[in-house]
Amino acid sequence: MKTAGKLVVLGSINADHILNLESFPTPGETVTGNHYQVAFGGKGANQAVAAGRSGADIAFIACTGDDDTGARVRKQLTSDNIDVAPVSVVAGESTGVALIFVNGEGENVIGIHAGANAALSTERVAEQQTLIANASALLMQLESPVESVLAAARIAQQNQTTVALNPAPARQLSDELLALVDIITPNETEAEKLTGIAVSSDEDAARAARVLHEKGIRTVIITLGSRGVWASVNGEGKRVPGFKVKAIDTIAAGDTFNGALMTALLEEKPLDEAIRFAHAAAAIAVTRKGAQPSVPWRNEIDDFLAQQG
Ligand code: RIB
């Protein structure tokens, strides 16, 4: 892995419309919420913000619409220490939207309108070839067209840029794409989608990790919610527990974990330590409402870790 260099995140940008309610409506039911918020989100943008706020040198490849939301998102990302030069403004398109319900337990359900995110084409990826080739690592998710994710992974692999994939939202992926990935971070649902193995114990996680290793992925980190993660390098696996906090809203918890993890790995922290750093960032995020409003800055993560002794 090239280290201490630039991180490139490729992914989505959404405006999240978030309604907090006691319990999710069932089909045909209307439920009145207790809190409504519009906040910036999108898995790609959330992970970029988590990396930027936690201290990475980062550029973001993404698309916004040519609307007011897009202009405001780009301004916000810049103030989060992100190079937005590779963020394209797509004429005639609207910025992506996510409609999110959060229930009393802090769980969420999400519906997406891709909008400009669907315009992150292989041609746009090719325009960023030099950026990807010169980076130390490339972090992607699956809210962008999968052929573009594949194109970016190919450029990265040809240039010894580490490919990290957070395979969210869950979908099946080709062996060709998986073989280009160096670090993968599925949750239990995503791990099952990719491997066919339902993950409900450490043993299941170890088996799912083995399948992903066989596809050519060296580092597999399966996130297990409040149980932490299963971290497996070349088949040597163990569980790394997270921190116990009172979660009020888990939106972007995984995104925060991924962005902070990449910051720590690019600082050459050993994997265990990098996971602990990412756990701390995610633990702070779940105590706050919304996606990007919940993502902590570096000093907050360091303070949290210092308090753990
Ligand atoms: O991972 C959380 C994100 O998923 C939200 O911010 C929403 O935009 C969806 O993309």
Side-chain angles (χ1 to χ4, degrees):
M1 180 173 179
K2 297 182 228 168
T3 50
K6 208 171 195 97
L7 171 66
V8 172
V9 175
L10 181 150
S12 59
I13 293 176
N14 292 330
D16 290 352
H17 293 251
I18 307 165
L19 184 67
N20 293 76
L21 27 73
E22 231 2 82
S23 46
F24 297 131
T26 51
E29 189 185 11
T30 300
V31 174
T32 301
N34 52 46
H35 183 266
Y36 171 70
Q37 181 187 11
V38 182
F40 295 140
K43 294 187 193 306
N46 297 343
Q47 294 183 18
V49 167
R53 290 188 192 167
S54 61
D57 175 9
I58 170 194
F60 185 30
I61 302 173
C63 292
T64 67
D66 59 352
D67 47 13
D68 173 60
T69 306
R72 286 187 296 117
V73 169
R74 287 192 302 281
K75 193 164 169 227
Q76 176 61 45
L77 293 173
T78 304
S79 61
D80 287 323
N81 298 338
I82 297 164
D83 173 5
V84 296
V87 176
S88 308
V89 178
V90 184
E93 260 301 352
S94 55
T95 299
V97 171
L99 303 177
I100 306 181
F101 286 150
V102 179
N103 71 8
E105 272 79 60
E107 300 165 322
N108 60 66
V109 290
I110 305 181
I112 300 279
H113 169 61
N117 295 312
L120 185 46
S121 58
T122 53
E123 290 76 19
R124 286 190 205 276
V125 171
E127 286 166 15
Q128 304 302 333
Q129 172 143 7
T130 308
L131 180 72
I132 297 169
N134 290 337
S136 295
L138 170 70
L139 171 63
M140 301 185 285
Q141 323 73 34
L142 299 175
E143 279 182 354
S144 304
V146 74
E147 63 275 14
S148 301
V149 171
L150 177 62
R154 280 198 190 117
I155 297 170
Q157 203 240 14
Q158 284 158 10
N159 293 281
Q160 293 79 49
T161 299
T162 299
V163 178
L165 179 66
N166 173 231
R171 56 168 289 167
Q172 289 175 340
L173 293 173
S174 66
D175 284 352
E176 184 192 3
L177 173 54
L178 292 174
L180 297 170
V181 173
D182 300 294
I183 304 170
I184 196 162
T185 58
N187 64 17
E188 290 130 309
T189 312
E190 292 146 10
E192 180 173 359
K193 206 38 145 207
L194 294 173
T195 66
I197 295 169
V199 177
S200 47
S201 65
D202 289 354
E203 291 70 32
D204 297 336
R207 284 196 299 131
R210 222 171 293 132
V211 173
L212 292 167
H213 289 313
E214 280 160 13
K215 305 263 183 202
I217 305 172
R218 183 168 187 273
T219 303
V220 177
I221 300 173
I222 302 178
T223 56
L224 307 168
S226 58
R227 296 181 59 247
V229 302
W230 182 262
S232 180
V233 179
N234 275 340
E236 286 291 310
K238 67 172 172 187
R239 193 155 59 80
V240 183
F243 297 102
K244 285 207 170 22
V245 290
K246 174 141 183 40
I248 61 158
D249 178 340
T250 58
I251 300 172
D255 297 332
T256 303
F257 179 91
N258 277 279
L261 179 74
M262 294 314 293
T263 297
L265 290 176
L266 289 171
E267 288 177 7
E268 299 187 58
K269 292 195 197 306
L271 185 61
D272 278 23
E273 211 183 301
I275 290 172
R276 196 174 143 80
F277 181 83
H279 273 327
I284 297 169
V286 300
T287 63
R288 301 172 177 171
K289 282 195 164 82
Q292 287 163 40
S294 73
V295 176
W297 288 83
R298 177 61 174 254
N299 62 315
E300 297 177 296
I301 304 170
D302 288 342
D303 288 352
F304 180 96
L305 283 168
Q307 281 160 23
Q308 307 306 310

